[in-house]
Amino acid sequence: MNASSDTLKRAWWPGGRGEWTLVLAGANLMLLNFLLVQHTTVAFRHDEVAMLGFSLAYFLGVSLGYQFSDRLSARFVRWMLPVCLAVQMALFVGAQALFHQVSVAAGKFAAGGVLLALIAAFATSVHAIFLPRVVEAGGGLRRCYSLEIVGSLVGLALVPLLAPIAHECVLAAYFVSYAGLAAAAGAGRGIVGAIAAGAAVFVVQFGAWDRAAAAWFDARFYRWKIDEVALARYTPYHKIEVVRSGRDYRLLLNGKRQFGGDPQRTYAYFVAEVPARLLGAPKTAVLGCGSMATVGRIGDFVPTVRIVDIDPEVFGAARKYFSAYNRLDELHNWTFEADDAKHWIANAREQFGLILHDIPPARSRQVALTYTEEFFRLAKARLEPGGIFSISSLTPLAGRSSYGRRMLATLGKVFEHYVVLVHRDSAYFYGGGPGMREPGAEEIQRLLAAAGRDGVRVYTRAEIEAMVAGEKIITMANVGDLIYE
């Protein structure tokens, strides 16, 4: 037994400084990837483009590390470690501001190039230096690569454990492994101590610096007067920001405005109250939460509201800062379930009179899947006979973009009965199955007039079918056509 244990230990336990360097480099790289993906996503403000760009920078950086591994002295590599860490820290805090400044001066393409060049040169390239150096020093390629993979798996395992606690926990784990990497690579006590001290200050101050950077960007990009960044929290799914301007709070997810205050409750009225009034008092499901103003709009007269969102932290932020709109503390007929909308709608056994699609626009693959024919069919299956599925498009139907028309073409293929309202260039779709009572334009206009809403055009099925003729139907196979439209 002891001999067997010793053999297993020799096979998998790192032996010597070089092998520990590989394990730490693997773990360090995985933690860094997670952090940089979050920060570049916020900087680009387009999840899909950010992921593609980061992947390019990642592999370019690895290639650079391999290319120059045998051309850099050990002394130079050790002194390079704190310099690279300082650049990475600057990216953690300032990637969004940097992207914005370069965009203003030279355009988004140049801004993306600058950001990705910094990632390739000062982030992923650093960790790739060590594998070829250890192999050339006499380590077996298979064993060396296996040890780096083991370290990568350790780093990956730490992410789901630490990310739900706080972003600073992931940062701290990354910096600890980075200091360990520097020590294993032979850096002196002065360099390792400087890395540890700088990392400690950064973790402690990160929240304040991140809020200041967010306030700087929001004030310039959105032209808001920022009185306070009340919340800036990273979760495994989003960066959630709540900023205060005067008495108004605004919600941003991954740098994109999701709710900016709506004194007239316009969006919530059209996407939620109109279909609910047409049905009477429907049992309701809300997919996605945001500010949850839709719940506050109908909570007084519907029997139950089921709220489903993948990120419970978004729900918590909305409940705390947007209670004037969602009124969750006043209402007692709602429940919240933390789940992915696609998973929930495919597995739910309940049926609802009204299902509200309150998910952000399709600007990433994960979100765009909720705008496909397949998803709409799942939602339709969860409707009670005569029930309504409500969804909006804030893109003008008559504009150059075909985003809204493609969405309506896809909805029209799934739902046998529907009607579309257009108010100030925003379209609101109410659709159902064969049992849905399709309301006429006069009935809807009477409902709107009673609520003091005017300037609304009601489109019939025939008019919408003519408008979207020839537009692509969006399926799981071609969601990119909607994302990059």
Side-chain angles (χ1 to χ4, degrees):
M1 178 66 76
N2 290 335
S4 176
S5 298
D6 290 343
T7 301
L8 185 63
K9 183 177 180 179
R10 284 195 299 272
W12 291 103
W13 193 256
R17 180 174 286 179
E19 292 190 348
W20 274 109
T21 300
L22 296 179
V23 173
L24 289 165
N28 203 243
L29 185 56
M30 289 302 102
L31 291 167
L32 177 62
N33 286 350
F34 175 77
L35 291 166
L36 285 177
V37 164
Q38 287 198 307
H39 290 277
T40 53
T41 297
V42 174
F44 277 91
R45 301 180 66 256
H46 193 302
D47 298 359
E48 200 81 2
V49 172
M51 285 300 300
L52 291 172
F54 176 79
S55 298
L56 175 64
Y58 173 88
F59 288 110
L60 178 59
V62 170
S63 298
L64 286 172
Y66 287 164
Q67 177 69 23
F68 291 99
S69 176
D70 60 347
R71 304 182 188 184
L72 303 175
S73 68
R75 185 171 182 272
F76 180 83
V77 171
R78 289 194 288 268
W79 279 102
M80 186 176 67
L81 288 171
V83 174
C84 290
L85 185 62
V87 175
Q88 293 167 21
M89 289 176 173
L91 289 175
F92 292 155
V93 172
Q96 187 181 44
L98 173 65
F99 187 90
H100 175 70
Q101 282 293 82
V102 180
S103 294
V104 171
K108 290 184 178 180
F109 185 81
V114 169
L115 187 57
L116 299 179
L118 288 172
I119 292 172
F122 294 96
T124 56
S125 60
V126 180
H127 308 85
I129 288 173
F130 298 103
L131 178 60
R133 295 174 75 93
V134 176
V135 171
E136 289 177 2
L141 176 60
R142 182 174 181 179
R143 176 172 174 79
C144 288
Y145 190 68
S146 298
L147 288 170
E148 193 167 56
I149 293 298
V150 169
S152 300
L153 294 174
V154 172
L156 285 173
L158 287 173
V159 169
L161 293 175
L162 299 176
I165 301 172
H167 194 64
E168 286 84 349
C169 291
V170 185
L171 286 169
Y174 173 68
F175 293 141
V176 167
S177 65
Y178 197 93
L181 175 64
R189 292 182 179 178
I191 292 177
V192 175
I195 289 173
V201 172
F202 187 87
V203 171
V204 171
Q205 292 296 320
F206 174 76
W209 291 343
D210 188 54
R211 279 179 166 82
W216 184 94
F217 172 81
D218 294 340
R220 283 155 182 80
F221 186 85
Y222 291 108
R223 302 186 184 279
W224 293 339
K225 179 182 178 295
I226 306 298
D227 293 313
E228 176 191 12
V229 178
L231 177 69
R233 175 168 173 77
Y234 294 83
T235 76
Y237 309 103
H238 302 104
K239 180 187 180 184
I240 306 168
E241 294 174 44
V242 177
V243 300
R244 181 175 64 82
S245 180
R247 295 183 178 180
D248 294 328
Y249 286 94
R250 291 161 177 155
L251 174 68
L252 299 96
L253 299 179
N254 288 341
K256 299 183 290 293
R257 179 176 59 182
Q258 300 298 317
F259 184 74
D262 182 11
Q264 303 301 318
R265 273 66 169 180
T266 301
Y267 169 83
Y269 173 76
F270 283 105
V271 84
E273 183 168 343
V274 171
R277 294 289 184 190
L278 290 171
L279 290 167
K283 184 169 72 170
T284 302
V286 179
L287 307 181
C289 59
S291 69
M292 291 181 293
T294 51
V295 179
R297 192 79 208 189
I298 62 176
D300 288 327
F301 64 92
V302 301
T304 60
V305 181
R306 178 74 62 84
I307 307 163
V308 180
D309 193 274
I310 194 171
D311 195 341
E313 295 289 343
V314 175
F315 171 80
R319 186 173 185 184
K320 180 176 181 179
Y321 294 102
F322 300 100
S323 58
Y325 292 93
N326 57 55
R327 302 167 48 235
L328 292 185
D329 293 336
E330 302 173 28
L331 302 170
H332 304 286
N333 56 345
W334 58 268
T335 57
F336 172 77
E337 189 167 345
D339 198 356
D340 176 65
K342 300 182 297 299
H343 176 266
W344 184 83
I345 205 75
N347 292 278
R349 292 295 173 260
E350 282 185 87
Q351 288 192 308
F352 298 87
L354 176 61
I355 297 177
L356 306 179
H357 185 290
D358 198 10
I359 298 172
R363 289 294 178 256
S364 71
R365 197 162 300 272
Q366 176 76 4
V367 172
L369 291 173
T370 69
Y371 288 81
T372 60
E373 177 185 353
E374 293 87 347
F375 182 84
F376 294 150
R377 291 196 183 280
L378 290 173
K380 178 183 170 184
R382 300 276 74 80
L383 288 175
E384 296 173 349
I388 290 177
F389 176 75
S390 175
I391 186 172
S392 69
S393 170
L394 306 184
T395 302
L397 298 181
R400 295 177 59 185
S401 171
S402 60
Y403 178 93
R405 295 190 295 274
R406 286 178 178 174
M407 193 182 86
L408 289 181
T410 307
L411 289 160
K413 185 177 180 182
V414 173
F415 295 95
E416 289 84 354
H417 295 286
Y418 63 85
V419 65
V420 175
L421 276 61
V422 174
H423 177 258
R424 295 179 182 173
D425 291 332
S426 297
Y428 301 89
F429 174 97
Y430 314 136
M436 174 186 167
R437 184 185 67 83
E438 198 170 293
E442 291 185 2
E443 177 185 355
I444 292 176
Q445 291 292 2
R446 284 196 300 270
L447 177 63
L448 299 177
R453 302 282 178 169
D454 54 13
V456 179
R457 175 161 181 189
V458 181
Y459 286 84
T460 64
R461 270 189 299 150
E463 290 172 318
I464 293 296
E465 287 170 1
M467 182 186 298
V468 303
E471 295 289 353
K472 286 184 179 179
I473 303 300
I474 301 300
T475 69
M476 292 176 65
N478 67 352
V479 289
D481 291 335
L482 197 62
I483 297 169
Y484 299 110
E485 198 287 322

